[in-house]
Amino acid sequence: MGILENKVAIVTGGASGIGKSVAEIYAKEGAKVIVSDIDIERGEQVVADILSNGGIASFFKADTSTAEENKALVDEAIKLYGKLDIACNNAGIGGLAAETGNYTLEAWKQVIDINFNGVFYGCKYQLEAMEKNGSGSIINMASIHGLVAAPMSSAYTSSKHGIVGLTKNIGAEYGPKNIRCNAVGPGYIKTPLLDNNLSKEQLEFLVTKHPIGRLGEPEEVAEFVLFLSSDKASFMTGGYYVVDGGYTAV
Ligand code: NAD
């Protein structure tokens, strides 16, 4: 028996990187997983891989920057399985690299809409469904930049700090309702998000910022997300936990 047997889970941004690993480990532990993303092809491939490994999963396209599509994603879980137990709000982008004074309004809005407003919209509808269910666990994907600065990425840093605040509030409000909400702060993890935004030299420099001497793997984040999502973390809510190879310790 997996530790998520009989649970129904949503993962946003599940087509790639950390979200893909989370979807895979949820399914491996017995959850029925709805993989959501704007990238249909890669999302459907993640589902096909889960199914071929004996797991239960389906794909649902949703752009998390809109309230409507977050609601539609929750509705899909209810339609398919009658309830929602777990949600990992993971979809996110890096956004423009520029000093704050040069950050364009358009680029700022795009990052905040996807990384921060998207997580609020997700939580709003997930909480509604979980209240009906009488329990639930939400994991919001923040970053070490929910704690420390990322120079040239003010929108990203602000969005991730916002997620930490939102998560604390939900923890405080929904503890009595048996719904837990926690945020995870990965250090730099080897995913397409890094490869698409950073040069080889930047990646080499970033390795030196992690005392463990390397960048992280998506699976190393997914293992902790799994723990927080499961009943094993039954006394944890409103928290923000780094998985960062020591980045924020120095
Ligand atoms: P990734 O680019 O590999 O995956 C992100 C996924 O989100 C992609 O499949 C993309 O299509 C999807 N996505 C983007 N915009 C979307 C939208 N509007 N609606 C739905 N899906 C959307 O990135 P990743 O590195 O796996 O990042 C996942 C999360 O982890 C992000 O929130 C990111 O900020 C966070 N994070 C990543 C790192 C890292 O070093 N990789 C570090 C800390 C935090």
Side-chain angles (χ1 to χ4, degrees):
M1 275 270 282
I3 62 171
L4 300 186
E5 215 68 44
N6 301 318
K7 304 277 190 191
V8 177
I10 283 171
V11 183
T12 71
S16 173
I18 296 171
K20 173 174 177 282
S21 286
V22 170
E24 287 170 350
I25 203 164
Y26 278 178
K28 194 168 149 236
E29 290 297 333
K32 300 176 182 79
V33 186
I34 299 167
V35 177
S36 185
D37 207 288
I38 46 174
D39 188 333
I40 300 174
E41 201 181 320
R42 292 170 80 189
E44 286 182 340
Q45 187 56 53
V46 172
V47 167
D49 291 346
I50 289 174
L51 294 175
S52 71
N53 286 321
I56 302 173
S58 58
F59 179 75
F60 188 82
K61 180 181 178 290
D63 178 343
T64 57
S65 67
T66 78
E68 295 74 22
E69 295 191 22
N70 275 284
K71 181 173 186 315
L73 174 56
V74 173
D75 289 347
E76 173 77 358
I78 306 300
K79 189 182 94 190
L80 288 179
Y81 304 114
K83 63 169 184 166
L84 177 66
D85 300 293
I86 296 166
C88 179
N89 294 306
N90 162 81
I93 60 167
L96 177 72
E99 278 185 327
T100 306
N102 296 326
Y103 221 88
T104 66
L105 301 183
E106 196 186 18
W108 178 273
K109 187 173 179 320
Q110 185 198 25
V111 174
I112 298 299
D113 276 348
I114 297 174
N115 289 16
F116 182 50
N117 291 337
V119 173
F120 162 66
Y121 300 142
C123 289
K124 175 176 163 56
Y125 298 111
Q126 292 151 14
L127 287 165
E128 212 173 273
M130 288 172 178
E131 269 200 87
K132 285 191 189 131
N133 195 27
S135 66
S137 177
I138 296 176
I139 313 302
N140 293 329
M141 196 56 66
S143 159
I144 48 171
H145 300 305
L147 183 66
V148 297
M152 308 294 283
S153 295
S154 265
Y156 187 83
T157 303
S158 303
S159 70
K160 297 302 186 181
H161 276 70
I163 288 174
V164 174
L166 173 68
T167 301
K168 287 180 183 172
N169 245 69
I170 294 171
E173 292 165 0
Y174 287 82
K177 298 179 183 183
N178 197 29
I179 299 170
R180 299 182 297 103
C181 182
N182 291 287
V184 174
Y188 285 79
I189 310 297
K190 283 191 257 167
T191 72
L193 184 136
L194 283 202
D195 296 335
N196 297 339
N197 287 290
L198 300 172
S199 67
K200 189 166 167 282
E201 292 69 31
Q202 285 173 312
L203 289 173
E204 280 167 7
F205 170 72
L206 283 171
V207 167
T208 69
K209 302 273 284 176
H210 296 74
I212 239 164
R214 61 176 174 83
L215 304 184
E217 300 292 340
E219 295 77 14
E220 293 176 291
V221 180
E223 283 286 354
F224 185 60
V225 171
L226 168 66
F227 171 74
L228 278 181
S229 306
S230 78
D231 295 339
K232 288 180 185 260
S234 50
F235 199 53
M236 299 173 77
T237 197
Y240 161 66
Y241 306 96
V242 295
V243 181
D244 70 351
Y247 187 110
T248 54
V250 289

